[in-house]
PDB file of all heavy atoms in Angstrom:
ATOM      1  N   SER R  79       5.170  50.748 -37.725  1.00 96.00           N
ATOM      2  CA  SER R  79       5.899  51.692 -36.876  1.00 96.00           C
ATOM      3  C   SER R  79       7.333  51.819 -37.373  1.00 96.00           C
ATOM      4  O   SER R  79       7.879  50.888 -37.977  1.00 96.00           O
ATOM      5  CB  SER R  79       5.888  51.203 -35.425  1.00 96.00           C
ATOM      6  OG  SER R  79       6.666  52.043 -34.597  1.00 96.00           O
ATOM      7  N   GLN R  80       7.940  52.954 -37.098  1.00 94.00           N
ATOM      8  CA  GLN R  80       9.320  53.165 -37.503  1.00 94.00           C
ATOM      9  C   GLN R  80      10.272  52.265 -36.731  1.00 94.00           C
ATOM     10  O   GLN R  80      11.289  51.812 -37.275  1.00 94.00           O
ATOM     11  CB  GLN R  80       9.703  54.629 -37.276  1.00 94.00           C
ATOM     12  CG  GLN R  80      11.053  55.022 -37.821  1.00 94.00           C
ATOM     13  CD  GLN R  80      11.147  54.830 -39.321  1.00 94.00           C
ATOM     14  OE1 GLN R  80      10.347  55.340 -40.071  1.00 94.00           O
ATOM     15  NE2 GLN R  80      12.124  54.071 -39.752  1.00 94.00           N
ATOM     16  N   TYR R  81       9.927  51.962 -35.484  1.00 93.00           N
ATOM     17  CA  TYR R  81      10.812  51.172 -34.631  1.00 93.00           C
ATOM     18  C   TYR R  81      10.089  49.905 -34.175  1.00 93.00           C
ATOM     19  O   TYR R  81       9.048  49.532 -34.711  1.00 93.00           O
ATOM     20  CB  TYR R  81      11.302  52.029 -33.459  1.00 93.00           C
ATOM     21  CG  TYR R  81      12.065  53.244 -33.919  1.00 93.00           C
ATOM     22  CD1 TYR R  81      11.439  54.494 -34.034  1.00 93.00           C
ATOM     23  CD2 TYR R  81      13.400  53.144 -34.295  1.00 93.00           C
ATOM     24  CE1 TYR R  81      12.134  55.608 -34.491  1.00 93.00           C
ATOM     25  CE2 TYR R  81      14.111  54.266 -34.748  1.00 93.00           C
ATOM     26  CZ  TYR R  81      13.469  55.485 -34.845  1.00 93.00           C
ATOM     27  OH  TYR R  81      14.168  56.574 -35.309  1.00 93.00           O
ATOM     28  N   GLY R  82      10.634  49.220 -33.184  1.00 95.00           N
ATOM     29  CA  GLY R  82       9.987  48.020 -32.676  1.00 95.00           C
ATOM     30  C   GLY R  82       9.834  46.957 -33.732  1.00 95.00           C
ATOM     31  O   GLY R  82      10.786  46.586 -34.423  1.00 95.00           O
ATOM     32  N   PHE R  83       8.605  46.467 -33.909  1.00 97.00           N
ATOM     33  CA  PHE R  83       8.309  45.396 -34.851  1.00 97.00           C
ATOM     34  C   PHE R  83       8.239  45.879 -36.301  1.00 97.00           C
ATOM     35  O   PHE R  83       8.059  45.066 -37.204  1.00 97.00           O
ATOM     36  CB  PHE R  83       6.982  44.726 -34.488  1.00 97.00           C
ATOM     37  CG  PHE R  83       7.097  43.663 -33.429  1.00 97.00           C
ATOM     38  CD1 PHE R  83       8.308  43.345 -32.849  1.00 97.00           C
ATOM     39  CD2 PHE R  83       5.975  42.966 -33.011  1.00 97.00           C
ATOM     40  CE1 PHE R  83       8.423  42.362 -31.873  1.00 97.00           C
ATOM     41  CE2 PHE R  83       6.062  41.974 -32.042  1.00 97.00           C
ATOM     42  CZ  PHE R  83       7.297  41.675 -31.469  1.00 97.00           C
ATOM     43  N   GLY R  84       8.336  47.198 -36.547  1.00 97.00           N
ATOM     44  CA  GLY R  84       8.230  47.688 -37.911  1.00 97.00           C
ATOM     45  C   GLY R  84       6.850  47.399 -38.470  1.00 97.00           C
ATOM     46  O   GLY R  84       5.834  47.744 -37.880  1.00 97.00           O
ATOM     47  N   LYS R  85       6.810  46.730 -39.617  1.00 98.00           N
ATOM     48  CA  LYS R  85       5.535  46.291 -40.193  1.00 98.00           C
ATOM     49  C   LYS R  85       5.201  44.925 -39.609  1.00 98.00           C
ATOM     50  O   LYS R  85       5.937  43.950 -39.817  1.00 98.00           O
ATOM     51  CB  LYS R  85       5.626  46.219 -41.712  1.00 98.00           C
ATOM     52  CG  LYS R  85       5.850  47.570 -42.364  1.00 98.00           C
ATOM     53  CD  LYS R  85       5.925  47.451 -43.877  1.00 98.00           C
ATOM     54  CE  LYS R  85       6.195  48.813 -44.510  1.00 98.00           C
ATOM     55  NZ  LYS R  85       6.303  48.719 -45.986  1.00 98.00           N
ATOM     56  N   ALA R  86       4.085  44.857 -38.875  1.00 98.00           N
ATOM     57  CA  ALA R  86       3.735  43.636 -38.151  1.00 98.00           C
ATOM     58  C   ALA R  86       2.285  43.266 -38.393  1.00 98.00           C
ATOM     59  O   ALA R  86       1.422  44.136 -38.562  1.00 98.00           O
ATOM     60  CB  ALA R  86       3.994  43.812 -36.651  1.00 98.00           C
ATOM     61  N   MET R  87       2.028  41.955 -38.379  1.00 98.00           N
ATOM     62  CA  MET R  87       0.679  41.448 -38.591  1.00 98.00           C
ATOM     63  C   MET R  87       0.391  40.319 -37.616  1.00 98.00           C
ATOM     64  O   MET R  87       1.285  39.532 -37.277  1.00 98.00           O
ATOM     65  CB  MET R  87       0.535  40.943 -40.029  1.00 98.00           C
ATOM     66  CG  MET R  87      -0.831  40.370 -40.355  1.00 98.00           C
ATOM     67  SD  MET R  87      -1.054  40.163 -42.141  1.00 98.00           S
ATOM     68  CE  MET R  87       0.398  39.222 -42.564  1.00 98.00           C
ATOM     69  N   TYR R  88      -0.873  40.241 -37.176  1.00 98.00           N
ATOM     70  CA  TYR R  88      -1.312  39.258 -36.197  1.00 98.00           C
ATOM     71  C   TYR R  88      -2.481  38.476 -36.798  1.00 98.00           C
ATOM     72  O   TYR R  88      -3.426  39.079 -37.331  1.00 98.00           O
ATOM     73  CB  TYR R  88      -1.767  39.939 -34.911  1.00 98.00           C
ATOM     74  CG  TYR R  88      -0.717  40.809 -34.246  1.00 98.00           C
ATOM     75  CD1 TYR R  88      -0.292  42.007 -34.848  1.00 98.00           C
ATOM     76  CD2 TYR R  88      -0.161  40.465 -33.019  1.00 98.00           C
ATOM     77  CE1 TYR R  88       0.666  42.804 -34.244  1.00 98.00           C
ATOM     78  CE2 TYR R  88       0.781  41.267 -32.407  1.00 98.00           C
ATOM     79  CZ  TYR R  88       1.200  42.438 -33.026  1.00 98.00           C
ATOM     80  OH  TYR R  88       2.141  43.224 -32.423  1.00 98.00           O
ATOM     81  N   ILE R  89      -2.424  37.149 -36.705  1.00 98.00           N
ATOM     82  CA  ILE R  89      -3.506  36.312 -37.212  1.00 98.00           C
ATOM     83  C   ILE R  89      -4.057  35.461 -36.071  1.00 98.00           C
ATOM     84  O   ILE R  89      -3.310  34.714 -35.424  1.00 98.00           O
ATOM     85  CB  ILE R  89      -3.023  35.395 -38.353  1.00 98.00           C
ATOM     86  CG1 ILE R  89      -2.554  36.235 -39.547  1.00 98.00           C
ATOM     87  CG2 ILE R  89      -4.142  34.448 -38.799  1.00 98.00           C
ATOM     88  CD1 ILE R  89      -2.014  35.410 -40.698  1.00 98.00           C
ATOM     89  N   LYS R  90      -5.369  35.596 -35.829  1.00 98.00           N
ATOM     90  CA  LYS R  90      -6.033  34.760 -34.825  1.00 98.00           C
ATOM     91  C   LYS R  90      -6.491  33.466 -35.483  1.00 98.00           C
ATOM     92  O   LYS R  90      -7.036  33.469 -36.589  1.00 98.00           O
ATOM     93  CB  LYS R  90      -7.231  35.487 -34.208  1.00 98.00           C
ATOM     94  CG  LYS R  90      -6.856  36.520 -33.164  1.00 98.00           C
ATOM     95  CD  LYS R  90      -8.097  37.079 -32.469  1.00 98.00           C
ATOM     96  CE  LYS R  90      -7.701  38.097 -31.394  1.00 98.00           C
ATOM     97  NZ  LYS R  90      -8.891  38.661 -30.706  1.00 98.00           N
ATOM     98  N   HIS R  91      -6.292  32.354 -34.759  1.00 98.00           N
ATOM     99  CA  HIS R  91      -6.655  31.040 -35.270  1.00 98.00           C
ATOM    100  C   HIS R  91      -7.743  30.432 -34.390  1.00 98.00           C
ATOM    101  O   HIS R  91      -7.807  30.714 -33.173  1.00 98.00           O
ATOM    102  CB  HIS R  91      -5.421  30.136 -35.311  1.00 98.00           C
ATOM    103  CG  HIS R  91      -4.298  30.711 -36.124  1.00 98.00           C
ATOM    104  ND1 HIS R  91      -4.242  30.622 -37.492  1.00 98.00           N
ATOM    105  CD2 HIS R  91      -3.183  31.410 -35.744  1.00 98.00           C
ATOM    106  CE1 HIS R  91      -3.144  31.230 -37.930  1.00 98.00           C
ATOM    107  NE2 HIS R  91      -2.489  31.715 -36.887  1.00 98.00           N
ATOM    108  N   PRO R  92      -8.595  29.586 -34.955  1.00 98.00           N
ATOM    109  CA  PRO R  92      -9.721  29.038 -34.181  1.00 98.00           C
ATOM    110  C   PRO R  92      -9.317  28.089 -33.058  1.00 98.00           C
ATOM    111  O   PRO R  92     -10.152  27.745 -32.225  1.00 98.00           O
ATOM    112  CB  PRO R  92     -10.559  28.308 -35.245  1.00 98.00           C
ATOM    113  CG  PRO R  92      -9.636  28.077 -36.383  1.00 98.00           C
ATOM    114  CD  PRO R  92      -8.660  29.211 -36.374  1.00 98.00           C
ATOM    115  N   ASN R  93      -8.042  27.682 -33.002  1.00 97.00           N
ATOM    116  CA  ASN R  93      -7.624  26.777 -31.927  1.00 97.00           C
ATOM    117  C   ASN R  93      -7.165  27.516 -30.676  1.00 97.00           C
ATOM    118  O   ASN R  93      -6.617  26.919 -29.750  1.00 97.00           O
ATOM    119  CB  ASN R  93      -6.502  25.847 -32.411  1.00 97.00           C
ATOM    120  CG  ASN R  93      -5.198  26.594 -32.695  1.00 97.00           C
ATOM    121  OD1 ASN R  93      -5.195  27.799 -32.913  1.00 97.00           O
ATOM    122  ND2 ASN R  93      -4.096  25.865 -32.718  1.00 97.00           N
TER     123      ASN R  93
END
Side-chain angles (χ1 to χ4, degrees):
S79 176
Q80 188 61 55
Y81 300 97
F83 276 0
K85 295 180 182 179
M87 179 166 53
Y88 302 69
I89 297 178
K90 282 187 179 180
H91 303 279
N93 68 339

